[in-house]
Amino acid sequence: FAGCCMKAVRAGAMALALITGGCANSPAQGDVVAIRNVAVLPMTSEHVLEAQTVLVRGGVIAELGATAEVEIPHGVRIVEGQGLYLMPGLVDGHTHPAGSEELLSFPLFGQTTIFTLDGEALDIARPTPGAFNPHLISSTRSMDAAPPFNRRFQAVARPEDVGAILDAERARGANFVKVYEQTTLPVLQAIEREAAARNMGVLGHLPNRLTPAETLPHLDIVAHTEEFMGFMGEPPTEPGIIAMADAIRPEAPAMLQ
């Protein structure tokens, strides 16, 4: 298993979360970058791989090995890694950046990929050209009943409107669908069906008008773990906990695949 993970790291799953003091003043050979003599944190063990050189081609890790053994092509951009560390970029699976300037802080803390969960990356948090922005994966605007809970949200009153709304959101760059807590069952069912037809996942809140057993078959991911607590009683009761477990159990095999 560890060997398989390292292969994935070497093949390109490792993002570059490196703060560097400079690079060699040589003409770039295409889009190849060599990070020379750096300490690598592979995430497959608790060991640091000292004195490594990493070659990146087209944003993909092409080679990783001991500096003495990796041949650096002539003319590529070289980043001197002496005294620095290279690690897989972190993924933040739930963010709500309020503006483009906030995007710049994520890579500084090692977060090279973020999910924006109300479509922020499609409008108010667009990447800054020429800056080190994180890779953005964005939901649609949150889809809610009419009137929506928040003025940013997309009101969906009829199931037959879902397809056109998803087409418009995909055209804006949305990668998956976000549903909110006032969504009705017919609309939720239409969202699941239309999203599947467009190869989009469905993530969101547990609608407060529905039971978990009604909602969970139509969601790939629940946005907040604490939402489950609201259906178990306050404080949680044994019957409430059992009912929630019964609602989750049929969906567990799909969630674990």
Side-chain angles (χ1 to χ4, degrees), residues 175-198:
N175 304 104
F176 59 95
V177 184
K178 168 79 177 290
V179 299
Y180 208 68
E181 58 191 29
Q182 298 183 98
T183 306
T184 64
L185 183 57
V187 168
L188 182 60
Q189 292 170 330
I191 288 174
E192 180 196 21
R193 180 177 62 253
E194 298 293 341
R198 293 160 176 78

Side-chain angles (χ1 to χ4, degrees), residues 15-17 88-92 106-107 110-114 132-136:
L16 302 180
L90 304 176
V91 178
D92 192 330
F106 287 97
Q111 295 168 295
T112 55
T113 297
I114 66 171
F132 184 16
N133 298 282
H135 176 62
L136 299 172

Side-chain angles (χ1 to χ4, degrees), residues 5 22 46 48 67 80 94 96 100 102 109 123 154 166 179-180 182-183 197 215 221 228 232 234 250 252 257:
C5 289
E46 296 184 5
V48 177
T67 295
E80 294 294 350
H94 193 145
H96 292 287
S100 297
E102 288 190 18
F109 290 91
D123 44 50
Q154 173 72 57
L166 293 190
V179 299
Y180 208 68
Q182 298 183 98
T183 306
T215 301
I221 301 176
F228 293 103
M232 298 182 192
E234 296 183 5
Q257 287 180 356

Side-chain angles (χ1 to χ4, degrees), residues 15-53:
L16 302 180
L18 181 69
I19 306 302
T20 177
C23 60
N25 293 319
S26 57
Q29 178 180 314
D31 54 357
V32 182
V33 178
I35 304 171
R36 182 168 59 190
N37 204 28
V38 68
V40 173
L41 307 178
M43 299 297 163
T44 55
S45 70
E46 296 184 5
H47 298 92
V48 177
L49 304 179
E50 300 285 356
Q52 300 289 297
T53 289

